Amino acid sequence: MAHINQRRELAFSDQFVECYLVLNVKNFKVAGGVVVNLDHAPMHIGGRIPSVVPGWKSTELFDAVIVKAERVAVFRVRSEVNLGGLVFGEWDWFGNRFAKFPRTTPLYISRYDEIGAVELDPFTFANQRTDVTDLRQYGIRLNLWWAPANTDCYLHNEHPFLEIHTQIYGTGRIQKFLERDESTLYKQIHMSPGYTHDPFTHVDAHGNPTYPWHRYWSDSDAIWLAIEFHPAH
């Protein structure tokens, strides 16, 4: 039987943002932070009136107890003082990883962490149907992003994987466009700490994700989490 509350630091945890993973969660106290439920099973929060966080959703907790969960990640900004200094640590300017990225855009990405696998139906995950009939194996990869206020984090539609995002610090918007033209904006998802948006990919007949043109726009200095689901080969 697996040990309860197996905790480890995530690869990108540093002096600015505490980040850790907990498996087989039972009566685990969270002093403070954004907690992400990284499993299909609900996360149960204790208290005089208990509550539930559904699978692949998140919340912000303060001196709270997670009564039960399969796999969660916790994120806490240690201090807001000189928070932008995180870019001088082990974070990369995104242009170092993506050659076409605009040189003047101050968007930074942390290291990656592979946290395990999950079996899911991509069609139900994308809310295209309710019946689970096509289970597939995916590896889960996490990383953080950072941008100062009013950063245009680049219009794109290229993702060969399923993904969702959780806001960790600050506020921003995920904006969706009809074309690669910001004048064709048709939808916005407002992101605040503790919020994870629903998937907005469309899965084709073969289970491959396709995305509309979209970008993240930071309304304040912002840190957000990317949760990527990579097909197992």
Side-chain angles (χ1 to χ4, degrees):
M1 186 175 179
H3 295 295
I4 66 170
N5 297 332
Q6 298 177 61
R7 172 177 168 166
R8 73 164 175 87
E9 298 296 299
L10 291 167
F12 44 81
S13 186
D14 61 17
Q15 70 189 85
F16 297 96
V17 189
E18 178 185 35
C19 315
Y20 60 90
L21 185 72
V22 190
L23 305 178
N24 194 23
V25 187
K26 299 284 192 303
N27 297 318
F28 183 84
K29 185 169 184 179
V30 177
V34 172
V35 182
V36 186
N37 183 6
L38 295 170
D39 194 83
H40 299 305
M43 173 171 65
H44 296 269
I45 310 300
R48 291 185 62 188
I49 302 176
S51 60
V52 170
V53 176
W56 311 110
K57 293 298 183 181
S58 55
T59 191
E60 192 170 16
L61 297 179
F62 304 90
D63 291 322
V65 174
I66 304 173
V67 176
K68 183 180 180 182
E70 294 298 318
R71 174 172 50 196
V72 305
V74 182
F75 303 89
R76 181 182 65 88
V77 171
R78 299 181 193 271
S79 172
E80 296 181 78
V81 177
N82 296 327
L83 183 57
L86 60 79
V87 304
F88 301 114
E90 295 189 11
W91 293 59
D92 276 340
W93 173 63
F94 186 57
N96 293 334
R97 303 191 192 181
F98 182 56
K100 296 187 294 183
F101 197 68
R103 187 69 187 92
T104 56
T105 301
L107 176 64
Y108 294 83
I109 184 172
S110 75
R111 297 167 65 186
Y112 295 116
D113 197 318
E114 309 278 350
I115 65 159
V118 67
E119 194 174 47
L120 60 81
D121 182 327
F123 301 94
T124 54
F125 187 77
N127 296 309
Q128 289 171 226
R129 67 184 182 206
T130 56
D131 294 337
V132 177
T133 59
D134 188 0
L135 287 172
R136 306 183 186 195
Q137 288 286 333
Y138 293 83
I140 306 173
R141 187 172 78 172
L142 306 181
N143 70 269
L144 292 179
W145 294 89
W146 156 266
N150 295 314
T151 298
D152 171 355
C153 296
Y154 192 68
L155 232 168
H156 63 288
N157 67 351
E158 305 148 339
H159 292 299
F161 48 80
L162 301 168
E163 74 165 355
I164 50 179
H165 301 88
T166 302
Q167 192 75 20
I168 305 301
Y169 173 84
T171 59
R173 288 168 278 163
I174 294 175
Q175 301 178 313
K176 298 164 68 173
F177 302 84
L178 295 174
E179 300 173 18
R180 193 176 189 178
D181 178 345
E182 64 180 17
S183 71
T184 65
L185 174 71
Y186 70 95
K187 186 176 182 180
Q188 288 194 134
I189 302 168
H190 290 266
M191 303 287 289
S192 58
Y195 181 72
T196 299
H197 66 78
D198 291 324
F200 59 83
T201 185
H202 180 82
V203 177
D204 68 19
H206 304 289
N208 301 313
T210 56
Y211 285 84
W213 289 103
H214 64 283
R215 72 181 174 192
Y216 184 93
W217 180 281
S218 60
D219 290 313
S220 70
D221 293 352
I223 299 172
W224 63 102
L225 171 73
I227 307 167
E228 301 175 355
F229 302 84
H230 293 262
H233 298 294

